PDB file of all heavy atoms in Angstrom:
ATOM      1  N   PRO A 154       1.598-138.155   2.140  1.00 94.00           N
ATOM      2  CA  PRO A 154       1.020-136.865   2.164  1.00 94.00           C
ATOM      3  C   PRO A 154      -0.410-136.981   2.290  1.00 94.00           C
ATOM      4  O   PRO A 154      -1.123-138.032   1.999  1.00 94.00           O
ATOM      5  CB  PRO A 154       1.444-136.291   0.844  1.00 94.00           C
ATOM      6  CG  PRO A 154       1.434-137.470   0.003  1.00 94.00           C
ATOM      7  CD  PRO A 154       2.035-138.540   0.830  1.00 94.00           C
ATOM      8  N   ALA A 155      -1.090-135.828   2.721  1.00 92.00           N
ATOM      9  CA  ALA A 155      -2.563-135.818   2.803  1.00 92.00           C
ATOM     10  C   ALA A 155      -3.145-135.935   1.407  1.00 92.00           C
ATOM     11  O   ALA A 155      -2.504-135.333   0.516  1.00 92.00           O
ATOM     12  CB  ALA A 155      -2.963-134.536   3.528  1.00 92.00           C
ATOM     13  N   GLY A 156      -4.235-136.549   1.223  1.00 92.00           N
ATOM     14  CA  GLY A 156      -4.853-136.693  -0.014  1.00 92.00           C
ATOM     15  C   GLY A 156      -5.360-138.108  -0.318  1.00 92.00           C
ATOM     16  O   GLY A 156      -5.575-138.887   0.637  1.00 92.00           O
ATOM     17  N   PRO A 157      -5.476-138.447  -1.575  1.00 93.00           N
ATOM     18  CA  PRO A 157      -6.187-139.608  -1.940  1.00 93.00           C
ATOM     19  C   PRO A 157      -5.283-140.913  -1.573  1.00 93.00           C
ATOM     20  O   PRO A 157      -5.915-142.041  -1.455  1.00 93.00           O
ATOM     21  CB  PRO A 157      -6.292-139.645  -3.470  1.00 93.00           C
ATOM     22  CG  PRO A 157      -5.252-138.574  -3.910  1.00 93.00           C
ATOM     23  CD  PRO A 157      -5.219-137.594  -2.781  1.00 93.00           C
ATOM     24  N   LEU A 158      -4.026-140.758  -1.360  1.00 94.00           N
ATOM     25  CA  LEU A 158      -3.284-141.972  -1.043  1.00 94.00           C
ATOM     26  C   LEU A 158      -3.621-142.567   0.316  1.00 94.00           C
ATOM     27  O   LEU A 158      -3.666-143.735   0.658  1.00 94.00           O
ATOM     28  CB  LEU A 158      -1.735-141.663  -0.992  1.00 94.00           C
ATOM     29  CG  LEU A 158      -1.130-141.313  -2.250  1.00 94.00           C
ATOM     30  CD1 LEU A 158       0.377-140.881  -2.089  1.00 94.00           C
ATOM     31  CD2 LEU A 158      -1.261-142.424  -3.260  1.00 94.00           C
ATOM     32  N   LEU A 159      -4.042-141.645   1.177  1.00 93.00           N
ATOM     33  CA  LEU A 159      -4.535-142.117   2.578  1.00 93.00           C
ATOM     34  C   LEU A 159      -5.798-143.055   2.382  1.00 93.00           C
ATOM     35  O   LEU A 159      -5.949-144.018   3.100  1.00 93.00           O
ATOM     36  CB  LEU A 159      -4.889-140.913   3.474  1.00 93.00           C
ATOM     37  CG  LEU A 159      -3.752-140.034   3.959  1.00 93.00           C
ATOM     38  CD1 LEU A 159      -4.233-138.832   4.698  1.00 93.00           C
ATOM     39  CD2 LEU A 159      -2.727-140.806   4.806  1.00 93.00           C
ATOM     40  N   GLY A 160      -6.630-142.588   1.481  1.00 92.00           N
ATOM     41  CA  GLY A 160      -7.813-143.471   1.276  1.00 92.00           C
ATOM     42  C   GLY A 160      -7.504-144.768   0.694  1.00 92.00           C
ATOM     43  O   GLY A 160      -8.015-145.816   1.051  1.00 92.00           O
ATOM     44  N   GLU A 161      -6.593-144.935  -0.206  1.00 93.00           N
ATOM     45  CA  GLU A 161      -6.072-146.150  -0.819  1.00 93.00           C
ATOM     46  C   GLU A 161      -5.576-147.089   0.227  1.00 93.00           C
ATOM     47  O   GLU A 161      -5.795-148.235   0.298  1.00 93.00           O
ATOM     48  CB  GLU A 161      -5.088-145.903  -1.860  1.00 93.00           C
ATOM     49  CG  GLU A 161      -5.631-145.285  -3.152  1.00 93.00           C
ATOM     50  CD  GLU A 161      -6.824-146.080  -3.818  1.00 93.00           C
ATOM     51  OE1 GLU A 161      -6.564-147.311  -3.959  1.00 93.00           O
ATOM     52  OE2 GLU A 161      -7.758-145.577  -4.222  1.00 93.00           O
ATOM     53  N   LEU A 162      -4.747-146.529   1.145  1.00 93.00           N
ATOM     54  CA  LEU A 162      -4.171-147.247   2.210  1.00 93.00           C
ATOM     55  C   LEU A 162      -5.274-147.861   3.248  1.00 93.00           C
ATOM     56  O   LEU A 162      -5.212-148.944   3.570  1.00 93.00           O
ATOM     57  CB  LEU A 162      -3.178-146.412   2.980  1.00 93.00           C
ATOM     58  CG  LEU A 162      -1.807-146.159   2.407  1.00 93.00           C
ATOM     59  CD1 LEU A 162      -1.108-145.021   3.055  1.00 93.00           C
ATOM     60  CD2 LEU A 162      -0.957-147.371   2.204  1.00 93.00           C
ATOM     61  N   LYS A 163      -6.338-147.018   3.436  1.00 90.00           N
ATOM     62  CA  LYS A 163      -7.322-147.371   4.297  1.00 90.00           C
ATOM     63  C   LYS A 163      -8.146-148.587   3.647  1.00 90.00           C
ATOM     64  O   LYS A 163      -8.626-149.445   4.424  1.00 90.00           O
ATOM     65  CB  LYS A 163      -8.333-146.261   4.706  1.00 90.00           C
ATOM     66  CG  LYS A 163      -9.277-146.578   5.703  1.00 90.00           C
ATOM     67  CD  LYS A 163     -10.153-145.421   6.140  1.00 90.00           C
ATOM     68  CE  LYS A 163     -11.065-145.703   7.146  1.00 90.00           C
ATOM     69  NZ  LYS A 163     -12.005-144.573   7.642  1.00 90.00           N
ATOM     70  N   LYS A 164      -8.284-148.624   2.325  1.00 88.00           N
ATOM     71  CA  LYS A 164      -8.951-149.699   1.536  1.00 88.00           C
ATOM     72  C   LYS A 164      -8.187-150.894   1.569  1.00 88.00           C
ATOM     73  O   LYS A 164      -8.651-151.978   1.217  1.00 88.00           O
ATOM     74  CB  LYS A 164      -9.198-149.227   0.181  1.00 88.00           C
ATOM     75  CG  LYS A 164     -10.262-148.087   0.037  1.00 88.00           C
ATOM     76  CD  LYS A 164     -10.397-147.691  -1.499  1.00 88.00           C
ATOM     77  CE  LYS A 164     -11.304-146.599  -1.593  1.00 88.00           C
ATOM     78  NZ  LYS A 164     -11.316-146.128  -3.036  1.00 88.00           N
ATOM     79  N   GLY A 165      -6.874-150.895   2.054  1.00 89.00           N
ATOM     80  CA  GLY A 165      -6.113-152.126   2.092  1.00 89.00           C
ATOM     81  C   GLY A 165      -5.076-152.121   0.938  1.00 89.00           C
ATOM     82  O   GLY A 165      -4.428-153.197   0.838  1.00 89.00           O
ATOM     83  N   ASN A 166      -4.973-151.114   0.097  1.00 94.00           N
ATOM     84  CA  ASN A 166      -4.060-151.139  -1.007  1.00 94.00           C
ATOM     85  C   ASN A 166      -2.730-150.602  -0.641  1.00 94.00           C
ATOM     86  O   ASN A 166      -2.628-149.510   0.114  1.00 94.00           O
ATOM     87  CB  ASN A 166      -4.689-150.310  -2.203  1.00 94.00           C
ATOM     88  CG  ASN A 166      -6.014-150.852  -2.587  1.00 94.00           C
ATOM     89  OD1 ASN A 166      -6.159-152.154  -2.592  1.00 94.00           O
ATOM     90  ND2 ASN A 166      -6.899-149.939  -2.999  1.00 94.00           N
ATOM     91  N   ASN A 167      -1.619-151.041  -1.229  1.00 96.00           N
ATOM     92  CA  ASN A 167      -0.354-150.462  -0.923  1.00 96.00           C
ATOM     93  C   ASN A 167      -0.129-149.371  -1.932  1.00 96.00           C
ATOM     94  O   ASN A 167      -0.820-149.277  -3.094  1.00 96.00           O
ATOM     95  CB  ASN A 167       0.712-151.571  -1.233  1.00 96.00           C
ATOM     96  CG  ASN A 167       0.667-152.744  -0.326  1.00 96.00           C
ATOM     97  OD1 ASN A 167       0.183-152.626   0.780  1.00 96.00           O
ATOM     98  ND2 ASN A 167       1.026-153.833  -0.756  1.00 96.00           N
ATOM     99  N   VAL A 168       0.583-148.380  -1.573  1.00 95.00           N
ATOM    100  CA  VAL A 168       0.730-147.145  -2.510  1.00 95.00           C
ATOM    101  C   VAL A 168       2.263-146.872  -2.655  1.00 95.00           C
ATOM    102  O   VAL A 168       3.073-147.297  -1.892  1.00 95.00           O
ATOM    103  CB  VAL A 168       0.041-145.936  -1.797  1.00 95.00           C
ATOM    104  CG1 VAL A 168      -1.439-146.151  -1.543  1.00 95.00           C
ATOM    105  CG2 VAL A 168       0.728-145.555  -0.555  1.00 95.00           C
ATOM    106  N   THR A 169       2.511-146.190  -3.719  1.00 94.00           N
ATOM    107  CA  THR A 169       3.898-145.746  -4.050  1.00 94.00           C
ATOM    108  C   THR A 169       3.868-144.168  -3.910  1.00 94.00           C
ATOM    109  O   THR A 169       3.118-143.504  -4.546  1.00 94.00           O
ATOM    110  CB  THR A 169       4.335-146.093  -5.441  1.00 94.00           C
ATOM    111  OG1 THR A 169       4.202-147.595  -5.603  1.00 94.00           O
ATOM    112  CG2 THR A 169       5.733-145.730  -5.743  1.00 94.00           C
ATOM    113  N   LEU A 170       4.754-143.705  -3.063  1.00 94.00           N
ATOM    114  CA  LEU A 170       4.959-142.250  -2.882  1.00 94.00           C
ATOM    115  C   LEU A 170       5.611-141.631  -4.046  1.00 94.00           C
ATOM    116  O   LEU A 170       6.250-142.334  -4.890  1.00 94.00           O
ATOM    117  CB  LEU A 170       5.739-142.056  -1.566  1.00 94.00           C
ATOM    118  CG  LEU A 170       5.068-142.615  -0.314  1.00 94.00           C
ATOM    119  CD1 LEU A 170       5.939-142.147   0.898  1.00 94.00           C
ATOM    120  CD2 LEU A 170       3.727-142.175  -0.139  1.00 94.00           C
ATOM    121  N   PRO A 171       5.592-140.325  -4.197  1.00 92.00           N
ATOM    122  CA  PRO A 171       6.302-139.603  -5.269  1.00 92.00           C
ATOM    123  C   PRO A 171       7.818-139.934  -5.311  1.00 92.00           C
ATOM    124  O   PRO A 171       8.358-139.941  -6.487  1.00 92.00           O
ATOM    125  CB  PRO A 171       6.007-138.122  -5.078  1.00 92.00           C
ATOM    126  CG  PRO A 171       4.714-138.219  -4.250  1.00 92.00           C
ATOM    127  CD  PRO A 171       4.729-139.419  -3.425  1.00 92.00           C
ATOM    128  N   ASN A 172       8.439-140.171  -4.176  1.00 93.00           N
ATOM    129  CA  ASN A 172       9.817-140.500  -4.103  1.00 93.00           C
ATOM    130  C   ASN A 172      10.158-141.895  -4.473  1.00 93.00           C
ATOM    131  O   ASN A 172      11.332-142.442  -4.304  1.00 93.00           O
ATOM    132  CB  ASN A 172      10.401-140.078  -2.806  1.00 93.00           C
ATOM    133  CG  ASN A 172       9.813-140.855  -1.635  1.00 93.00           C
ATOM    134  OD1 ASN A 172       9.051-141.839  -1.910  1.00 93.00           O
ATOM    135  ND2 ASN A 172      10.106-140.466  -0.446  1.00 93.00           N
ATOM    136  N   GLY A 173       9.087-142.725  -4.879  1.00 93.00           N
ATOM    137  CA  GLY A 173       9.309-144.105  -5.160  1.00 93.00           C
ATOM    138  C   GLY A 173       9.213-144.993  -4.022  1.00 93.00           C
ATOM    139  O   GLY A 173       9.302-146.254  -4.223  1.00 93.00           O
ATOM    140  N   LYS A 174       9.014-144.520  -2.767  1.00 94.00           N
ATOM    141  CA  LYS A 174       8.877-145.476  -1.664  1.00 94.00           C
ATOM    142  C   LYS A 174       7.474-146.151  -1.674  1.00 94.00           C
ATOM    143  O   LYS A 174       6.499-145.539  -1.834  1.00 94.00           O
ATOM    144  CB  LYS A 174       9.086-144.655  -0.378  1.00 94.00           C
ATOM    145  CG  LYS A 174       9.003-145.570   0.838  1.00 94.00           C
ATOM    146  CD  LYS A 174       9.091-144.679   2.165  1.00 94.00           C
ATOM    147  CE  LYS A 174       8.935-145.548   3.348  1.00 94.00           C
ATOM    148  NZ  LYS A 174       9.108-144.834   4.609  1.00 94.00           N
ATOM    149  N   VAL A 175       7.467-147.456  -1.443  1.00 95.00           N
ATOM    150  CA  VAL A 175       6.293-148.199  -1.372  1.00 95.00           C
ATOM    151  C   VAL A 175       5.864-148.371   0.111  1.00 95.00           C
ATOM    152  O   VAL A 175       6.698-148.811   0.909  1.00 95.00           O
ATOM    153  CB  VAL A 175       6.475-149.614  -1.956  1.00 95.00           C
ATOM    154  CG1 VAL A 175       5.133-150.435  -1.757  1.00 95.00           C
ATOM    155  CG2 VAL A 175       6.721-149.590  -3.386  1.00 95.00           C
ATOM    156  N   VAL A 176       4.675-147.923   0.398  1.00 95.00           N
ATOM    157  CA  VAL A 176       4.103-147.981   1.770  1.00 95.00           C
ATOM    158  C   VAL A 176       2.981-148.989   1.743  1.00 95.00           C
ATOM    159  O   VAL A 176       1.993-149.014   0.928  1.00 95.00           O
ATOM    160  CB  VAL A 176       3.556-146.663   2.165  1.00 95.00           C
ATOM    161  CG1 VAL A 176       2.957-146.752   3.711  1.00 95.00           C
ATOM    162  CG2 VAL A 176       4.641-145.571   2.157  1.00 95.00           C
ATOM    163  N   LYS A 177       3.165-150.059   2.577  1.00 95.00           N
ATOM    164  CA  LYS A 177       2.244-151.149   2.713  1.00 95.00           C
ATOM    165  C   LYS A 177       1.010-150.645   3.586  1.00 95.00           C
ATOM    166  O   LYS A 177       1.212-149.961   4.630  1.00 95.00           O
ATOM    167  CB  LYS A 177       2.790-152.395   3.149  1.00 95.00           C
ATOM    168  CG  LYS A 177       3.871-153.005   2.327  1.00 95.00           C
ATOM    169  CD  LYS A 177       4.360-154.310   2.930  1.00 95.00           C
ATOM    170  CE  LYS A 177       5.353-154.935   1.995  1.00 95.00           C
ATOM    171  NZ  LYS A 177       5.921-156.172   2.547  1.00 95.00           N
ATOM    172  N   SER A 178      -0.109-151.101   3.173  1.00 94.00           N
ATOM    173  CA  SER A 178      -1.374-150.785   3.964  1.00 94.00           C
ATOM    174  C   SER A 178      -1.209-151.323   5.461  1.00 94.00           C
ATOM    175  O   SER A 178      -1.531-150.663   6.433  1.00 94.00           O
ATOM    176  CB  SER A 178      -2.625-151.353   3.376  1.00 94.00           C
ATOM    177  OG  SER A 178      -3.696-151.109   4.198  1.00 94.00           O
ATOM    178  N   THR A 179      -0.615-152.515   5.514  1.00 92.00           N
ATOM    179  CA  THR A 179      -0.535-153.076   6.869  1.00 92.00           C
ATOM    180  C   THR A 179       0.457-152.404   7.815  1.00 92.00           C
ATOM    181  O   THR A 179       0.462-152.535   9.024  1.00 92.00           O
ATOM    182  CB  THR A 179      -0.034-154.581   6.710  1.00 92.00           C
ATOM    183  OG1 THR A 179       1.267-154.646   5.839  1.00 92.00           O
ATOM    184  CG2 THR A 179      -1.037-155.492   6.017  1.00 92.00           C
ATOM    185  N   ASP A 180       1.287-151.462   7.071  1.00 93.00           N
ATOM    186  CA  ASP A 180       2.211-150.694   8.039  1.00 93.00           C
ATOM    187  C   ASP A 180       1.519-149.577   8.722  1.00 93.00           C
ATOM    188  O   ASP A 180       2.042-149.065   9.696  1.00 93.00           O
ATOM    189  CB  ASP A 180       3.369-150.084   7.144  1.00 93.00           C
ATOM    190  CG  ASP A 180       4.225-151.202   6.581  1.00 93.00           C
ATOM    191  OD1 ASP A 180       4.307-152.233   7.211  1.00 93.00           O
ATOM    192  OD2 ASP A 180       4.892-150.991   5.477  1.00 93.00           O
ATOM    193  N   VAL A 181       0.415-149.022   8.162  1.00 95.00           N
ATOM    194  CA  VAL A 181      -0.126-147.756   8.631  1.00 95.00           C
ATOM    195  C   VAL A 181      -1.702-148.031   9.092  1.00 95.00           C
ATOM    196  O   VAL A 181      -2.337-147.031   9.463  1.00 95.00           O
ATOM    197  CB  VAL A 181      -0.097-146.680   7.598  1.00 95.00           C
ATOM    198  CG1 VAL A 181       1.403-146.299   7.369  1.00 95.00           C
ATOM    199  CG2 VAL A 181      -0.790-147.049   6.346  1.00 95.00           C
ATOM    200  N   VAL A 182      -2.260-149.222   8.866  1.00 94.00           N
ATOM    201  CA  VAL A 182      -3.652-149.464   9.234  1.00 94.00           C
ATOM    202  C   VAL A 182      -3.733-150.532  10.230  1.00 94.00           C
ATOM    203  O   VAL A 182      -2.987-151.601  10.127  1.00 94.00           O
ATOM    204  CB  VAL A 182      -4.437-149.877   7.860  1.00 94.00           C
ATOM    205  CG1 VAL A 182      -5.927-150.215   8.309  1.00 94.00           C
ATOM    206  CG2 VAL A 182      -4.334-148.737   6.851  1.00 94.00           C
ATOM    207  N   THR A 183      -4.647-150.419  11.213  1.00 93.00           N
ATOM    208  CA  THR A 183      -4.799-151.526  12.198  1.00 93.00           C
ATOM    209  C   THR A 183      -5.424-152.741  11.525  1.00 93.00           C
ATOM    210  O   THR A 183      -6.110-152.642  10.466  1.00 93.00           O
ATOM    211  CB  THR A 183      -5.712-151.012  13.297  1.00 93.00           C
ATOM    212  OG1 THR A 183      -7.041-150.664  12.756  1.00 93.00           O
ATOM    213  CG2 THR A 183      -5.181-149.834  14.075  1.00 93.00           C
ATOM    214  N   PRO A 184      -5.242-153.912  12.105  1.00 91.00           N
ATOM    215  CA  PRO A 184      -5.707-155.179  11.472  1.00 91.00           C
ATOM    216  C   PRO A 184      -7.298-155.020  11.330  1.00 91.00           C
ATOM    217  O   PRO A 184      -8.019-154.389  12.191  1.00 91.00           O
ATOM    218  CB  PRO A 184      -5.364-156.160  12.380  1.00 91.00           C
ATOM    219  CG  PRO A 184      -4.197-155.640  13.148  1.00 91.00           C
ATOM    220  CD  PRO A 184      -4.431-154.173  13.279  1.00 91.00           C
ATOM    221  N   GLU A 185      -7.906-155.723  10.392  1.00 89.00           N
ATOM    222  CA  GLU A 185      -9.351-155.752  10.241  1.00 89.00           C
ATOM    223  C   GLU A 185      -9.916-156.475  11.376  1.00 89.00           C
ATOM    224  O   GLU A 185      -9.345-157.528  11.906  1.00 89.00           O
ATOM    225  CB  GLU A 185      -9.577-156.663   8.899  1.00 89.00           C
ATOM    226  CG  GLU A 185     -11.180-156.776   8.615  1.00 89.00           C
ATOM    227  CD  GLU A 185     -11.369-157.604   7.386  1.00 89.00           C
ATOM    228  OE1 GLU A 185     -10.817-158.690   7.334  1.00 89.00           O
ATOM    229  OE2 GLU A 185     -12.135-157.079   6.486  1.00 89.00           O
ATOM    230  N   GLU A 186     -11.045-155.894  11.890  1.00 91.00           N
ATOM    231  CA  GLU A 186     -11.701-156.585  13.026  1.00 91.00           C
ATOM    232  C   GLU A 186     -12.777-157.568  12.585  1.00 91.00           C
ATOM    233  O   GLU A 186     -13.680-157.281  11.869  1.00 91.00           O
ATOM    234  CB  GLU A 186     -12.441-155.526  13.824  1.00 91.00           C
ATOM    235  CG  GLU A 186     -13.074-156.040  15.169  1.00 91.00           C
ATOM    236  CD  GLU A 186     -13.832-155.058  16.005  1.00 91.00           C
ATOM    237  OE1 GLU A 186     -13.328-153.848  16.020  1.00 91.00           O
ATOM    238  OE2 GLU A 186     -14.850-155.315  16.519  1.00 91.00           O
ATOM    239  N   ILE A 187     -12.519-158.780  12.895  1.00 93.00           N
ATOM    240  CA  ILE A 187     -13.407-159.858  12.437  1.00 93.00           C
ATOM    241  C   ILE A 187     -14.746-159.769  13.140  1.00 93.00           C
ATOM    242  O   ILE A 187     -14.830-159.606  14.314  1.00 93.00           O
ATOM    243  CB  ILE A 187     -12.780-161.360  12.664  1.00 93.00           C
ATOM    244  CG1 ILE A 187     -11.497-161.417  12.062  1.00 93.00           C
ATOM    245  CG2 ILE A 187     -13.734-162.420  12.201  1.00 93.00           C
ATOM    246  CD1 ILE A 187     -11.517-161.315  10.534  1.00 93.00           C
TER     247      ILE A 187
END
Side-chain angles (χ1 to χ4, degrees):
L158 293 180
L159 292 175
E161 291 299 316
L162 288 166
K163 188 174 182 181
K164 292 177 183 177
N166 301 322
N167 300 334
V168 300
T169 301
L170 302 183
N172 61 9
K174 179 181 178 181
V175 175
V176 179
K177 295 181 179 180
S178 175
T179 55
D180 293 335
V181 295
V182 177
T183 60
E185 181 182 52
E186 182 181 327
I187 303 299

